[in-house]
Amino acid sequence: MDLPDLSAVAQQELLKSGEISATELLAACAERAALVEPVVNALPMERWEQATQQANAVAVDGPLGGLVTAFKDLADTKDLPTTYGSLVFADHQPVADHPAVALVRQAGVQVVGKTNTPEFGAGSHTFNPVYGLTRNPWDPTRSAGGSSGGAAAAVACGVLSIADGSDLGGSLRNPPSFCGVVGLRPTSGRVPGGDPKYVMATQGSIGRTVADVALHDAVLSGQDDRPLTEMPLRVAYSPDLGGLPVAPEVHRIIKKAAETIEQLGWSVDQQEPDFSKVDRCFETLRAAFYAQKFFALAEDERVKATVRAEVNLGLGLPAECIEQALATEQNLREDWDVFFSKYDLLIAPTSQVPAFPVGQEWVREINGTSLDHYTNWMRSSSRVTVSGCPSISLPAGFTSEGLPVGVQIVAPRGTDRQLLSWAGLIEEAFGVPIRRLSKRLQPRTHLGCRRVPWGKEKAVTGGCNLKSFGHRLPGLLTNLCQDNPAKRAKRKVILWLMP
């Protein structure tokens, strides 16, 4: 198996034993990036040459020593521009690292750039007017999710050993589900650098295996144990998290996951917490959070409409409405504490749908149920966010079209390391191996591709004409396999049509 296809834990073992050097791992990841990035565009800001110059000085004995990573473009980096995916900040250079970035750097990683994100992290589909569109490694006509879509896609492809992400309504869970990797949303407030008032937003970890995520999480949290409590576990199973519409193939895969978990000898009951007050609480606090951070951009035409609408909604909220939502959030957390006095874990769909066509900005219908807001299709994740509980998305299976689907596993607040231990056992029971995506992508990038005229791409975009989608993103989508304008300037291909 090629170095980029190994888990981060396996790469680290080779580094520490001296079987490979940090320079060799970096070169292998750079070669993989050259293969897949023209298609996926997960790492739009690259610094391979600078990392190579520094590789000989990397100390491989650190907690993440020698592993290859990049930071999400929402996290401030003192030596790399941070655009937040917005033209407003296209030339922004922070003067200090985000606290989570600083922790990962200190652990000895090799930093090779920034991973792509939607503008200001809004929406679980990664596209923006600075770096363009990130595509799903399993099917480049599909979304990689968001807002950590670049991180999940880069890890899935083997471009990165491991990656950070952030999560408000599902951004550490939806992209891993879409891309077939593992993502952990920690207990709210556990990782440094969060907002003291609006605690739903958090940094977290993405890796190819649970052990990889545990390695990264130990650096972010300062906790490296993975305790196991008495077995067997008591597991609650919710097929739809309070009656949400769920795509049939997702339902099938999550039901099968519940049956597999039951075969571990654990008790599995179809039960769930009360979700009746969750959506309004989440939507109020999300809008208030966006208004606090981006109030100056409420009327800025350079910012996409969904962000401006979110900010203006937050600006219009009365103070008493926000305080009531904060009180409801605390009450809901206490309700979940009671629920978890009866169960050790809750399992449910990570996302209500598999990865959707890239031409859709967001999912507007599931099983005949119309959705009228860009976050409504993500409620299977956002309903868990409000609880403050740690949750992990674990690959559980594939649709008939070969798209990955993740199961969401939730544990009581503060039991993050136990959750990782339990998730490791479930991962072993599922038996979903690391996939060699390079073999899947290679024919699409180098073999049998043909150029076609701009505007003739409906066959590979689920029926969507990218020109019509691109009017909201001027000049971004002129190359199906390479949507990053900065990289596109280096290539002569206008559009590739994949067989």
Side-chain angles (χ1 to χ4, degrees):
M1 185 177 287
D2 296 337
L3 285 177
D5 293 319
L6 297 175
S7 68
V9 169
Q11 290 174 354
Q12 189 179 60
E13 289 173 354
L14 293 174
L15 288 164
K16 290 189 174 182
S17 69
E19 294 181 57
I20 64 169
S21 68
T23 302
E24 289 171 319
L25 177 59
L26 184 69
C29 291
E31 184 179 355
R32 178 62 57 83
L35 173 69
V36 302
E37 271 297 288
V39 178
V40 176
N41 190 37
L43 190 70
M45 187 192 306
E46 301 173 325
R47 49 168 291 177
W48 296 104
E49 291 182 8
Q50 297 93 319
T52 300
Q53 293 168 6
Q54 300 165 4
N56 288 332
V58 170
V60 299
D61 56 349
L64 302 176
L67 296 178
V68 177
T69 197
F71 298 113
K72 185 175 177 179
D73 198 28
L74 294 184
D76 285 353
T77 45
K78 63 184 178 183
D79 60 345
L80 290 166
T82 303
T83 73
Y84 316 114
S86 177
L87 292 174
V88 179
F89 292 95
D91 300 314
H92 175 55
Q93 178 58 66
V95 297
D97 284 336
H98 184 283
V101 169
L103 288 170
V104 173
R105 281 193 200 273
Q106 292 164 13
V109 293
Q110 302 189 79
V111 181
V112 297
K114 302 295 286 282
T115 58
N116 209 16
T117 179
E119 188 171 19
F120 299 119
S124 198
H125 182 25
T126 297
F127 67 92
N128 65 64
V130 181
Y131 293 127
L133 174 68
T134 295
R135 296 179 178 276
N136 192 305
W138 294 93
D139 181 347
T141 71
R142 301 297 181 110
S143 171
S147 60
S148 305
V155 168
C157 290
V159 172
L160 303 179
S161 308
I162 207 159
D164 72 299
S166 57
D167 186 305
L168 177 57
S171 299
L172 281 161
R173 293 163 286 165
N174 278 334
S177 178
F178 281 11
C179 294
V181 294
V182 182
L184 173 70
R185 175 193 164 86
T187 296
S188 294
R190 180 168 171 267
V191 175
D195 188 279
K197 182 176 182 180
Y198 301 112
V199 298
M200 294 193 302
T202 183
Q203 303 295 117
S205 308
I206 294 174
R208 284 186 284 279
T209 68
V210 172
D212 291 354
V213 167
L215 192 69
H216 191 272
D217 173 74
V219 170
L220 292 182
S221 67
Q223 301 173 335
D224 60 4
D225 60 323
R226 289 172 66 188
L228 280 171
T229 58
E230 255 183 62
M231 309 289 275
L233 298 185
R234 303 161 300 168
V235 179
Y237 161 52
S238 174
D240 55 21
L241 291 145
L244 295 172
V246 175
E249 289 217 80
V250 173
H251 177 79
R252 172 184 61 81
I253 291 168
I254 303 307
K255 185 175 183 291
K256 176 63 176 177
E259 293 168 354
T260 301
I261 289 170
E262 193 168 25
Q263 291 171 10
L264 290 170
W266 301 354
S267 65
V268 177
D269 300 324
Q270 189 167 323
Q271 296 290 337
E272 63 188 21
D274 180 8
F275 293 106
S276 59
K277 299 179 181 178
V278 172
D279 296 337
R280 183 174 181 182
C281 176
F282 173 79
E283 290 158 11
T284 299
L285 295 181
R286 177 186 174 89
F289 176 66
Y290 267 74
Q292 175 183 278
K293 287 178 67 72
F294 308 120
F295 63 90
L297 305 177
E299 305 302 329
D300 195 320
E301 293 291 334
R302 293 172 295 176
V303 177
K304 69 178 179 180
T306 47
V307 173
R308 284 184 280 126
E310 196 82 64
V311 172
N312 282 295
L313 176 62
L315 291 173
L317 291 171
E320 57 269 23
C321 180
I322 296 173
E323 293 305 317
Q324 183 179 2
L326 289 167
T328 300
E329 179 186 32
Q330 182 57 39
N331 291 337
L332 288 169
R333 289 181 170 200
E334 293 170 0
D335 291 345
W336 279 69
D337 291 344
V338 173
F339 178 80
F340 277 125
S341 69
K342 303 172 186 176
Y343 297 98
D344 300 300
L345 296 174
L346 169 68
I347 59 172
T350 298
S351 179
Q352 294 158 241
V353 293
F356 55 87
V358 295
Q360 297 179 17
E361 186 172 352
W362 45 276
V363 177
R364 288 172 165 80
E365 182 270 332
I366 304 174
N367 287 359
T369 299
S370 297
L371 307 173
D372 60 3
H373 191 264
Y374 78 103
T375 63
N376 284 1
W377 71 272
M378 301 160 49
R379 282 178 170 170
S380 55
S381 288
S382 65
R383 286 186 171 183
V384 174
T385 290
V386 181
S387 72
C389 294
S391 54
I392 190 168
S393 180
L394 195 64
F398 293 83
T399 69
S400 59
E401 295 181 308
L403 297 172
V405 170
V407 62
Q408 184 171 202
I409 309 169
V410 191
R413 285 188 291 164
T415 64
D416 303 54
R417 300 303 290 183
Q418 284 187 337
L419 171 59
L420 287 164
S421 293
W422 295 327
L425 295 174
I426 296 171
E427 177 184 54
E428 186 177 349
F430 285 170
V432 180
I434 296 175
R435 307 294 182 175
R436 299 186 68 183
L437 279 171
S438 59
K439 303 302 181 186
R440 189 180 177 101
L441 281 165
Q442 189 169 1
R444 298 171 181 267
T445 54
H446 294 299
L447 303 174
C449 292
R450 55 192 173 89
R451 282 182 278 189
V452 299
W454 169 236
K456 301 292 187 181
E457 69 285 349
K458 287 188 179 183
V460 294
T461 59
C464 174
N465 187 314
L466 289 180
K467 187 181 291 184
S468 64
F469 180 61
H471 78 274
R472 295 191 293 276
L473 307 169
L476 290 183
L477 303 179
T478 58
N479 184 335
L480 180 62
C481 288
Q482 180 49 268
D483 298 315
N484 179 350
K487 294 179 182 175
R488 189 179 66 239
K490 301 176 183 178
R491 302 177 68 88
K492 296 180 180 179
V493 175
I494 297 174
L495 187 70
W496 297 70
L497 182 61
M498 292 167 290

